């Protein structure tokens, strides 16, 4: 309504998955465990002789609680697809109106499946040790652990520090893959002369225990699951500023609306960042 071309590229968790929900353009690469969704990424894989797979058929998937090396090379990995489709959109964009683009990388996420080119970047033995488990907290989170088993169908009940460190190493590799793609997106904006006229916000929806408190996934409110990164490139800003105050993801909505020159709806329970 404010005159922007809106596009969503990557994972959105919309239902139905192909719904637009306010976006004029969509390039879809959904969650890694929803392998039967016939989205744009599925078509890309078919074109190059691959198909989606969670990894259930791999012994190492079960042995390492979802941590294994993907059979899909980096060139066709899902986060590579999302990043490069975003760069293509930016390179080809020739409309007069400004754009508002949401980019959703499916990783880093269970399954922890880095491409072969990234799998050996991090030594499991050098990974930070997990926060020790407290028995009463493990019992309190029992429902979450049960639900995770049904989601990811992992057949290995044992969960020791070796498993945790392997998960952490592959998770770090997935982060590195996304980091590379974010760099490509920023470089594309710079090449087109758009970087200094584009607000860029990088964040996530949740963390991952990766063994902290003896847990996997994100099923309670420990800091490991709820504290996420947030970085912003603000056009015209000089230097950098860090804010240590408590904010939440809903504040991103208010921030985008403010920078786009839109009025904030009265019902919006959020405030533009940086909050004062």
């Amino acid at each position: 309504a404010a005159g922007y071309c809106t596009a969503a590229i990557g994972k959105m968790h919309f239902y139905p998955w192909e719904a637009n929900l306010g976006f004029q353009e969509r390039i879809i690469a959904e969650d890694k465990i929803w392998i039967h969704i016939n989205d744009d990424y599925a078509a890309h894989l078919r074109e190059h002789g691959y198909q989606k797979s969670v990894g259930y058929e791999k012994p190492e998937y079960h042995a390492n609680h979802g941590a294994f090396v993907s059979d899909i090379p980096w060139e066709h990995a899902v986060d590579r697809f999302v990043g490069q489709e975003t760069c293509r959109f930016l390179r080809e964009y020739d409309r007069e109106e400004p754009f508002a683009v949401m980019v959703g990388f499916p990783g880093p996420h269970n399954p922890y499946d880095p491409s072969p080119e990234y799998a050996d970047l991090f030594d499991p033995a050098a990974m930070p040790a997990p926060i020790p488990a407290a028995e009463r907290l493990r019992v309190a989170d029992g429902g979450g652990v049960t639900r995770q088993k049904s989601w990811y169908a992992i057949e290995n009940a044992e969960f020791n520090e070796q498993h945790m460190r392997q998960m952490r190493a592959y998770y770090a590799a997935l982060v590195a893959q996304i980091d590379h793609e974010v760099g490509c997106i920023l470089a594309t904006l710079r090449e087109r002369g758009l970087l200094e006229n584009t607000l860029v916000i990088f964040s996530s929806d949740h963390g991952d225990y990766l063994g902290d408190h003896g847990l996997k996934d994100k099923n309670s409110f420990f800091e490991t699951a709820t504290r996420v990164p947030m970085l912003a490139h603000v056009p015209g800003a000089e230097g950098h500023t860090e804010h240590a105050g408590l904010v939440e993801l809903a504040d991103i909505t208010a921030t985008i609306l403010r920078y786009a020159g839109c009025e904030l709806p009265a019902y919006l329970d959020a405030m533009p960042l940086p909050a004062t």
Side-chain angles (χ1 to χ4, degrees):
Y4 281 74
C5 171
T6 56
I9 303 172
K11 171 184 170 180
M12 297 293 140
H13 262 334
F14 291 168
Y15 185 83
W17 63 266
E18 69 270 41
N20 285 336
L21 297 184
F23 290 98
Q24 295 163 273
E25 298 186 26
R26 288 202 64 196
I27 302 170
I28 307 173
E30 262 304 336
D31 194 298
K32 293 197 289 185
I33 67 170
W34 308 122
I35 60 174
H36 299 298
I37 290 179
N38 191 24
D39 54 18
D40 296 305
Y41 179 58
H44 171 86
L45 287 179
R46 282 196 302 271
E47 181 183 346
H48 293 89
Y50 298 96
Q51 63 182 8
K52 292 183 180 182
S53 171
V54 179
Y56 295 156
E57 73 283 359
K58 288 180 167 291
E60 58 267 37
Y61 173 91
H62 301 281
N64 296 319
H65 293 263
F68 66 96
V69 180
S70 176
D71 292 331
I72 298 176
W74 165 238
E75 181 182 3
H76 303 300
V78 64
D79 291 324
R80 177 68 169 170
F81 173 81
V82 171
Q84 292 307 296
E85 285 297 305
T86 303
C87 291
R88 183 179 63 82
F89 174 89
L90 295 173
R91 284 193 301 267
E92 296 177 359
Y93 191 79
D94 59 359
R95 304 184 185 186
E96 292 184 2
E97 65 267 35
F99 56 77
V101 182
M102 182 172 178
V103 181
F105 289 105
H109 203 286
N110 190 328
Y112 313 104
D113 56 345
S115 299
E117 296 88 335
Y118 279 79
D120 294 330
L121 279 183
F122 300 93
D123 180 3
M127 289 291 100
I131 298 171
E135 189 63 32
R136 64 181 181 87
L137 298 178
R138 294 175 66 187
V139 171
D141 197 60
V145 172
T146 300
R147 186 180 69 173
Q148 185 194 56
K149 184 176 180 179
S150 66
W151 274 359
Y152 299 113
I154 292 172
E155 299 171 0
N156 183 11
E158 182 185 13
F159 189 43
N160 58 40
E161 186 166 328
Q162 181 179 352
H163 297 134
M164 299 171 189
R165 288 182 179 273
Q166 187 64 71
M167 291 166 64
R168 288 167 177 245
Y170 285 171
Y171 188 91
L174 291 173
V175 171
Q177 293 183 185
I178 293 174
D179 183 60
H180 178 87
E181 292 308 305
V182 172
C184 291
I185 293 170
L186 295 176
T188 302
L189 287 169
R190 185 178 294 109
E191 290 165 6
R192 294 219 58 192
L194 297 171
L195 185 59
E196 294 310 320
N197 194 35
T198 303
L199 172 67
V200 181
I201 299 176
F202 176 89
S203 191
S204 183
D205 55 347
H206 60 79
D208 194 311
Y209 290 123
L210 300 173
D212 281 349
H213 312 290
L215 301 173
K216 298 174 288 184
D217 203 26
K218 58 183 193 302
N219 297 320
S220 63
F221 292 97
F222 292 122
E223 185 177 76
T224 313
T226 59
R227 186 173 183 175
V228 297
M230 182 181 291
L231 302 169
H233 167 79
V234 181
E238 296 182 1
H240 73 277
T241 304
E242 296 182 11
H243 293 268
L246 183 65
V247 300
E248 61 179 356
L249 287 174
D251 294 332
I252 292 179
T253 302
T255 304
I256 292 172
L257 291 173
R258 175 63 54 83
Y259 274 91
C262 305
E263 291 189 13
L264 301 186
Y267 58 78
L268 190 64
D269 186 18
M271 63 180 66
L273 301 173
T276 56

